[in-house]
Amino acid sequence: ESLVLPVRLAAQITGAAKEDGTPAVFQWESNVTGGQGAGTFSPGLDSKGVLLSTRYATALKLVALYLQELAAGIKGSSYWDLFDYFYGTESGSPLMQFGLWGPKSEGYPLRPIYYAYQLLTKLIVPGTHLLQVEASPPSALIAYGADQGGGRRILYVLNPWAEPVQVHLKLAERPLWLLRWTLDRDGVSVAIRERVQQLPHTWRPGLRGTLEDVVPAEAMVVYQLRDL
């Protein structure tokens, strides 16, 4: 429900821009904020005192928002910011802790939003026209896809539920390569602990017809399909 208003606003801005003749609309400086202590350039803390920028659930929500905005017609979005820093040079300047990785004092640990954002920038390149994909039943999953030309297609499938969901993907009858990435709480925790810079992917050649798969609870699975 927390995503309804931002997505509706994105659609309204896009519609107004089209009526006004504006060729493109971009979102500037999106980030994770709210919770306890927000309002002073801080992401704030959740009810358990955990910094929002370090929470997996927050990263997943932000990615869902990005995908819905792009599907609504927003041409691009930026994330604020790359790394933590003090907002000012004076003593006592607030520390902005929105970074994709943590501070030097902690060994620059990567944060969940780093891996989530990476899966967007890896495949959603300039010129990609993302569309919402119908799921059946509609309340089961949230999915977005795009035909990138050159025999390549991408599909982002989000499972907002606390249980895994089985999916049936209808593929072309011609053979395809399939690459698959998973963004889930356990995988991100392992990647952060082991200081891995990219989430692993699997690939399967020669697929056709229907693919049976499972999207983990509160997770996102990303598929890239390529013609052989």
Side-chain angles (χ1 to χ4, degrees):
E1 187 176 345
S2 61
L3 296 178
V4 171
L5 289 179
V7 172
R8 189 174 295 167
L9 177 61
Q12 291 173 349
I13 292 173
T14 304
K18 289 180 180 178
E19 292 178 3
D20 207 31
T22 304
V25 180
F26 295 85
Q27 176 177 280
W28 179 245
E29 291 186 13
S30 59
N31 54 32
V32 292
T33 189
Q36 304 172 28
T40 56
F41 302 101
S42 169
L45 308 173
D46 68 7
S47 59
K48 297 181 180 179
V50 178
L51 191 68
L52 288 183
S53 57
T54 66
R55 295 175 70 246
Y56 168 78
T58 304
L60 186 65
K61 286 182 179 180
L62 189 63
V63 165
L65 175 60
Y66 282 141
L67 290 170
Q68 293 184 69
E69 285 181 333
L70 292 172
I74 298 295
K75 300 298 183 182
S77 185
S78 65
Y79 179 76
W80 185 275
D81 55 319
L82 188 63
F83 50 84
D84 295 356
Y85 67 95
F86 287 98
Y87 201 71
T89 57
E90 302 82 7
S91 176
S93 296
L95 176 63
M96 300 186 70
Q97 295 176 281
F98 297 95
L100 299 182
W101 53 81
K104 179 180 179 180
S105 60
E106 299 176 11
Y108 301 113
L110 296 175
R111 290 174 173 161
I113 187 59
Y114 168 88
Y115 298 99
Y117 200 61
Q118 183 186 68
L119 285 179
L120 298 186
T121 58
K122 179 189 292 289
L123 299 175
I124 302 177
V125 298
T128 299
H129 181 47
L130 206 66
L131 296 172
Q132 186 161 4
V133 177
E134 183 178 351
S136 180
S139 59
L141 295 166
I142 308 169
Y144 302 90
D147 187 341
Q148 297 186 300
R152 296 191 178 196
R153 290 158 294 283
I154 55 174
L155 181 65
Y156 289 84
V157 181
L158 292 97
N159 175 13
W161 307 109
E163 299 293 335
V165 174
Q166 188 170 11
V167 297
H168 309 271
L169 299 179
K170 294 182 179 179
L171 306 176
E173 290 305 320
R174 62 184 181 278
L176 301 168
W177 285 88
L178 183 139
L179 285 81
R180 181 188 186 278
W181 294 263
T182 301
L183 179 81
D184 67 345
R185 190 183 305 274
D186 291 342
V188 167
S189 296
V190 170
I192 292 173
R193 184 172 64 250
E194 297 183 355
R195 308 182 69 85
V196 176
Q197 295 185 10
Q198 296 190 54
L199 293 175
H201 70 272
T202 58
W203 62 273
R204 294 175 61 182
L207 288 177
R208 67 177 76 194
T210 301
L211 172 67
E212 306 288 335
D213 200 4
V214 174
V215 181
E218 298 177 342
M220 177 175 71
V221 173
V222 184
Y223 304 93
Q224 185 183 56
L225 303 169
R226 303 177 183 177
D227 288 342
L228 285 177

